[in-house]
Amino acid sequence: MTLQFGYFLVPNAADPLVEYARLADDLGLDLIGVQDHPYQRKYVDTWTLLSVIAASTGRVRVFPDVACLPLRPPAVLAKAAASLDVLSGGRVELGLGAGAFWDAIEAYGGTHRTPREALGSLEEAVAVIRAMWSGERNLRFAGEHYHLTGAQSGPVPAHPMEIWLGVTGPKALALTGRLADGWLPSSTWATPDRLGEFGARIDEAATEAGRRPGDIRRLYNVNGTITDGASEGFLKGPAAQWVDELTDLALGYGMDGFVLWPDGDQRRQLTIFAEEVVPEVRRQVALEHEG
């Protein structure tokens, strides 16, 4: 797959969020992902922000990174995503998670789910969302967590929207391999030393389901800081270090997308990433593939 690069935008209401998004678009990044934690009082709503970003930019694609399923019923979530895809000219993908921070979710009126229930609801949600994107009428689905009883789908997305799952755990990774279009881990919990193990589970499940593992997109939220000084560890060092580390992740673990989640000055980090890191990673990966 073609390498993609993006920006992980934290939806802090006090920050110039639209300015950051326009900068990412102007710098030529492919994606803007926005985390979805409705219970965080300092955050604006993710879908509202994604809509404003899509209306304020010209080419960058947007997605929730990842949508909080327990607080967003899948049929309505599917309609919101498809609607924004239509209105933006096909610039939306759907990142989806089973849920976390259960006490906060429950405080907002959501259900506190067990790990089994969370996984089951995620699998059902994928089925419901795909049905709601089909354009078909009289949709019916009888699950343990979600139901459709004669639902009318629409609008149909403007392009074949993908579902990327931000999950860990053997069963959730297997679900990704069987049903999802992509995997969306973060370096804060899917550390490089575990990517091989996690990827193998996805590949095995995909093969067993008759799918090609290479067709499942692997997008990595990379948290760190591009510095002027010496290395201070993984993703904490100069641009040249970032180039080496991201190139290794692409070639060694099959990661085909990197979404920058920077600490520090957002404008500076975005600019260095887009101008110094991205083109060199593309170049080195292309050279390796040509060789």
Side-chain angles (χ1 to χ4, degrees), residues 125-151:
V126 171
V128 168
I129 290 166
R130 291 225 167 99
M132 294 299 295
W133 289 345
S134 69
E136 297 178 1
R137 297 176 177 272
N138 196 33
L139 295 170
R140 298 186 179 275
F141 180 85
E144 180 181 350
H145 306 279
Y146 301 115
H147 301 82
L148 298 175
T149 54

Side-chain angles (χ1 to χ4, degrees), residues 80-279:
S83 298
L84 186 54
D85 196 54
V86 169
L87 294 170
S88 67
R91 293 194 288 133
V92 181
E93 309 295 349
L94 180 58
L96 190 60
F101 308 105
W102 293 104
D103 290 344
I105 287 170
E106 194 170 27
Y108 253 60
T111 301
H112 191 142
R113 290 170 174 159
T114 66
R116 185 194 70 80
E117 291 169 339
L119 182 65
S121 65
L122 183 61
E123 182 167 359
E124 290 182 14
V126 171
V128 168
I129 290 166
R130 291 225 167 99
M132 294 299 295
W133 289 345
S134 69
E136 297 178 1
R137 297 176 177 272
N138 196 33
L139 295 170
R140 298 186 179 275
F141 180 85
E144 180 181 350
H145 306 279
Y146 301 115
H147 301 82
L148 298 175
T149 54
Q152 310 301 319
S153 68
V156 175
H159 84 292
M161 274 208 299
E162 297 185 356
I163 298 176
W164 304 333
L165 300 185
V167 297
T168 187
K171 293 181 179 179
L173 293 168
L175 173 64
T176 302
R178 287 189 288 109
L179 297 177
D181 301 298
W183 181 45
L184 186 58
S186 296
S187 63
T188 52
W189 51 265
T191 51
D193 60 299
R194 304 202 68 189
L195 287 178
E197 167 199 347
F198 291 159
R201 292 187 182 277
I202 293 172
D203 293 349
E204 180 181 1
T207 300
E208 290 178 354
R211 308 179 69 196
R212 294 196 311 171
D215 290 341
I216 300 170
R217 196 177 302 280
R218 323 284 168 116
L219 293 158
Y220 201 23
N221 295 314
V222 286
N223 176 236
T225 309
I226 306 170
T227 70
D228 293 325
S231 173
E232 299 176 19
F234 178 64
L235 297 178
K236 293 183 179 179
Q241 175 187 327
W242 276 71
V243 170
D244 290 343
E245 290 176 340
L246 297 190
T247 300
D248 287 345
L249 289 165
L251 296 175
Y253 297 100
M255 307 308 290
D256 47 46
F258 298 99
V259 183
L260 176 68
W261 179 2
D263 298 321
D265 185 328
Q266 300 293 295
R267 297 178 188 85
R268 181 174 183 277
Q269 293 288 307
L270 261 175
T271 301
I272 297 173
F273 181 72
E275 293 182 350
E276 300 182 29
V277 176
V278 169

